[in-house]
Amino acid sequence: MKSMVEDLLQVMVMLSIMVFGFSICIFVVMKQIRFLYPPGQDEDDPVPFEFQNLQQTVGTLFWALFGYIDFIEILRKQEEAGKAEIYTLFYLIFAVYLMLSAVLLLNMLIAMLTTTFERIQHQSDVEWKFARALMYRGYMGGQSYPSPFNLICHLMVIMFSRLFRCTNKPLLGDVRYSDKVDQYREK
């Protein structure tokens, strides 16, 4: 889980760098519109409101990833007024941005998560084998029996301890194999 979150954070960092880089590029292109086509007395600013400063440009490109593109109508109206050259460059940059962000980054995220999942799955197989070996070793080392027989064995120990009143020994056989070996070495 941790490595998948790390992969997701890497893609988010790459996305934020890409959004910021394309925002600077589009902001510079849109800033040139004022110099190429200065507004007249009765005309509005040729630069749409969404691209007036860098912060608004970053926000506009971020929401464009989710399909919120309401500035295209404003650009089309100004394009019909004879200002098509600079807007063609904008459309080209914007199309490259949408393609890179949607297709390339999404496919890269899928590939990274798939690689991480396969690595985790391979490690889980090794961990399962290790846990199985530890469990097998635990059964061989002491007085452990399979599931239904362990209850019978414990009941027998309790009955014999009550019947013969053996108070100096543990009630359920808590002595481990290594403890028995140490007892014999002391004698």
Side-chain angles (χ1 to χ4, degrees):
M1 184 70 170
K2 179 182 173 186
S3 53
M4 286 196 174
V5 171
E6 289 174 358
D7 289 344
L8 188 63
L9 287 176
Q10 286 177 354
V11 171
M12 293 304 253
V13 166
M14 285 187 278
L15 177 68
S16 62
I17 290 171
M18 193 173 74
V19 167
F20 188 70
F22 273 96
S23 296
I24 291 173
C25 183
I26 289 177
F27 177 68
V28 168
V29 167
M30 288 301 207
K31 196 173 181 182
Q32 299 303 316
I33 293 176
R34 286 193 186 110
F35 299 116
L36 293 175
Y37 309 109
Q41 295 287 346
D42 55 349
E43 291 182 15
D44 292 335
D45 193 8
V47 178
F49 174 74
E50 289 84 2
F51 302 105
Q52 293 287 332
N53 57 23
L54 187 60
Q55 181 180 2
Q56 290 172 338
T57 306
V58 170
T60 302
L61 289 186
F62 175 76
W63 288 111
L65 286 173
F66 303 108
Y68 185 68
I69 307 173
D70 60 344
F71 55 86
I72 297 294
E73 293 300 322
I74 299 169
L75 293 176
R76 285 190 183 149
K77 287 178 186 175
Q78 291 182 359
E79 189 178 345
E80 291 170 0
K83 305 170 186 175
E85 298 88 20
I86 196 76
Y87 291 113
T88 305
L89 181 61
F90 166 76
Y91 285 138
L92 181 67
I93 294 170
F94 190 66
V96 168
Y97 164 73
L98 288 178
M99 290 294 250
L100 284 178
S101 62
V103 176
L104 185 70
L105 284 179
L106 189 61
N107 285 336
M108 188 169 47
L109 176 65
I110 291 170
M112 288 172 68
L113 290 179
T114 302
T115 304
T116 303
F117 178 75
E118 288 174 356
R119 185 173 21 114
I120 289 172
Q121 189 175 13
H122 176 69
Q123 288 175 354
S124 69
D125 185 48
V126 171
E127 288 179 15
W128 174 78
K129 288 177 183 176
F130 182 71
R132 187 178 69 170
L134 283 179
M135 185 176 65
Y136 179 74
R137 184 175 160 218
Y139 276 120
M140 293 299 140
Q143 296 178 355
S144 299
Y145 298 103
S147 181
F149 299 117
N150 63 356
L151 294 176
I152 295 171
C153 292
H154 288 304
L155 287 175
M156 295 286 284
V157 168
I158 291 172
M159 285 176 27
F160 281 120
S161 68
R162 297 283 185 219
L163 186 64
F164 296 113
R165 297 285 182 209
C166 301
T167 58
N168 59 351
K169 293 187 179 180
L171 185 61
L172 294 177
D174 288 337
V175 179
R176 298 282 180 213
Y177 179 74
S178 61
D179 295 337
K180 290 180 184 177
V181 172
D182 291 338
Q183 288 176 357
Y184 289 118
R185 286 184 185 166
E186 291 175 4
K187 291 182 181 179

